[in-house]
Amino acid sequence: MALRGALSRLLRTQLGRTCQQSRAQSVAVLGAPFSRGQKRRGVEHGPKVIRDAGLIERLSSLDYSVHDFGDLNFHHLEKDEPYMDVKFPRTVGGANKKLSGAVSRAIGAGHTLVMLGGDHSLAIGSVSGHAQQCPDLCLIWVDAHADLNTPMTSPSGNLHGQPVAFMLKELQDKMPDIPGFSWIKPFLSSRDLVYIGLRDVDPGEHHILKNLGIQYFTMRDIDRLGIQRIMEVTFDHLLSRKQRPIHLSFDIDAFDPSLAPATGTPANGGLTYREGIYIAEEIHNTGLLSVMDLVEVNPLLGANREAVEATASLAVDVITSSLGQTREGAHASIDDVPTVKDDTEQLCL
């Protein structure tokens, strides 16, 4: 079993990506300071604190050509009444439309893209923009929550708990025409999605997961199988039919709150540091990562400065590990280790 997994990983690395093959050496960073997809303000400051934690410098040390495109500016409507209990639908829809276009342009220009949120409703725009350039993409969603509610199943009406429902073709007849979202049509099949780290799933989401046969791994699964086996099954599920671009959407609350306290919807019993970084490393090792979202870092919810800095630093570690930083360190290459000359050679000199 271990040999088969190793051979599978080697094959994926050799084949590389199918969308924009030249992208590997160019990384674009795009901030999306947006918080209207959920009730807690502060997550709009996520892009700044992640950059302040040294993201650009760390990426540059990995020998990428790094392009920081700054932050998008989003328009917040003064009057944006709820629709079927969905909060701020026009504002969220407009922000995601803008983000979708920006992501599509960055991918079309040949970059690997890192999108810094912001709340997780932004994945609607990020993944859809990616799909415009790479329609055969697959999605790995690392999160404590499934974010799979429809407007009719959502307990809160917050759109950061509903982004995946906008993407799935199988849910098209379950989604009403929400103001602000006329621009998007479902583009992803349920078989092209894997969840990792779930531990706080709503009843409607659980029904959808089971009914559509979506591949998902809870924290219990990780405890039972180990993170290495989880990643092997993930890649077999998504990449065994063909090699295609990976979209990684990573919510910082996938980690245990002891590691990532500055976030809006923490849930106990999350990923350890080693498990989260292993996920990122293995995705990098496929050679297929095309777009990554890092969302839900909220500096206003940290109990103190140390909590905010720890969460932002963890976000940087996840991003850089997804792009090639290894725990054995990044080292300049040398051709050989110098040989010590013996005493006779030293005397002759």
Side-chain angles (χ1 to χ4, degrees):
M1 187 69 71
L3 178 59
R4 185 175 69 178
L7 290 173
S8 179
R9 289 194 296 273
L10 178 61
L11 177 60
R12 288 192 294 267
T13 301
Q14 290 173 334
L15 288 173
R17 71 181 77 225
T18 61
C19 179
Q20 294 290 342
Q21 294 285 335
S22 63
R23 188 179 302 136
Q25 297 307 312
S26 178
V27 173
V29 177
L30 178 65
F34 186 78
S35 62
R36 287 301 178 96
Q38 43 92 64
K39 63 182 179 180
R40 297 177 182 270
R41 298 295 172 259
V43 74
E44 68 271 19
H45 302 297
K48 182 181 187 304
V49 296
I50 295 172
R51 286 191 180 95
D52 289 347
L55 174 64
I56 305 303
E57 295 80 4
R58 290 272 298 277
L59 290 175
S60 297
S61 72
L62 297 176
D63 292 330
Y64 287 107
S65 173
V66 180
H67 305 267
D68 189 348
F69 291 158
D71 291 345
L72 292 175
N73 293 314
F74 297 112
H75 178 60
H76 293 75
L77 299 174
E78 291 185 10
K79 293 185 178 181
D80 191 357
E81 297 299 321
Y83 181 82
M84 297 181 63
D85 293 329
V86 173
K87 299 177 176 65
F88 306 110
R90 300 159 191 86
T91 300
V92 177
N96 274 286
K97 182 178 181 180
K98 186 171 188 176
L99 177 59
S100 179
V103 170
S104 178
R105 289 189 293 273
I107 299 304
H111 303 295
T112 294
L113 180 66
V114 177
M115 188 280 284
L116 306 176
D119 71 63
H120 219 164
S121 71
L122 293 163
I124 299 170
S126 180
V127 184
S128 66
H130 188 186
Q132 290 175 27
Q133 297 290 334
C134 306
D136 62 337
L137 66 79
C138 57
L139 176 60
I140 299 176
W141 195 275
V142 183
D143 200 328
H145 312 91
D147 296 346
L148 186 55
N149 276 301
T150 70
M152 284 79 79
T153 67
S154 173
S156 69
N158 294 320
L159 279 165
H160 77 153
Q162 305 177 43
V164 181
F166 285 86
M167 305 177 199
L168 292 183
K169 297 175 183 177
E170 292 88 345
L171 293 181
Q172 186 166 9
D173 64 343
K174 309 295 184 184
M175 297 294 291
D177 294 328
I178 300 176
F181 288 92
S182 61
W183 58 274
I184 187 171
K185 304 300 179 188
F187 55 86
L188 188 72
S189 296
S190 59
R191 66 177 180 274
D192 298 325
L193 165 67
V194 173
Y195 286 101
I196 300 174
L198 296 182
R199 58 191 184 278
D200 186 7
V201 178
D202 293 325
E205 295 175 315
H206 187 262
H207 174 81
I208 293 170
L209 288 169
K210 293 293 188 180
N211 190 52
L212 297 185
I214 295 171
Q215 179 72 72
Y216 68 92
F217 299 102
T218 65
M219 287 307 304
R220 174 175 168 78
D221 295 322
I222 294 173
D223 291 341
R224 183 169 56 89
L225 299 173
I227 196 62
Q228 178 183 354
R229 182 59 184 153
I230 295 293
M231 296 311 296
E232 289 176 354
V233 176
T234 293
F235 294 138
D236 285 344
H237 179 80
L238 294 175
L239 303 176
S240 61
R241 297 187 301 273
K242 63 176 179 178
Q243 306 299 293
R244 65 256 187 79
I246 293 173
H247 189 116
L248 170 61
S249 202
F250 202 115
D251 189 321
I252 201 69
D253 73 21
F255 283 102
D256 192 79
S258 62
L259 297 172
T263 191
T265 50
N268 288 330
L271 296 172
T272 66
Y273 180 88
R274 290 164 63 182
E275 288 166 343
I277 296 303
Y278 186 85
I279 292 168
E281 290 171 338
E282 287 297 285
I283 290 173
H284 168 73
N285 288 341
T286 67
L288 295 167
L289 180 64
S290 184
V291 177
M292 175 182 186
D293 312 321
L294 197 294
V295 299
E296 298 286 358
V297 174
N298 190 332
L300 297 190
L301 297 180
N304 49 45
R305 181 178 177 181
E306 288 73 21
V308 174
E309 290 178 349
T311 307
S313 178
L314 181 58
V316 172
D317 287 350
V318 171
I319 294 168
T320 54
S321 296
S322 298
L323 291 166
Q325 177 69 49
T326 66
R327 281 175 280 179
E328 63 191 32
H331 308 284
S333 60
I334 62 173
D335 295 327
D336 199 3
V337 176
T339 301
V340 176
K341 299 181 182 297
D342 63 28
D343 293 341
T344 303
E345 289 178 307
Q346 294 287 348
L347 289 173
C348 291
L349 293 174

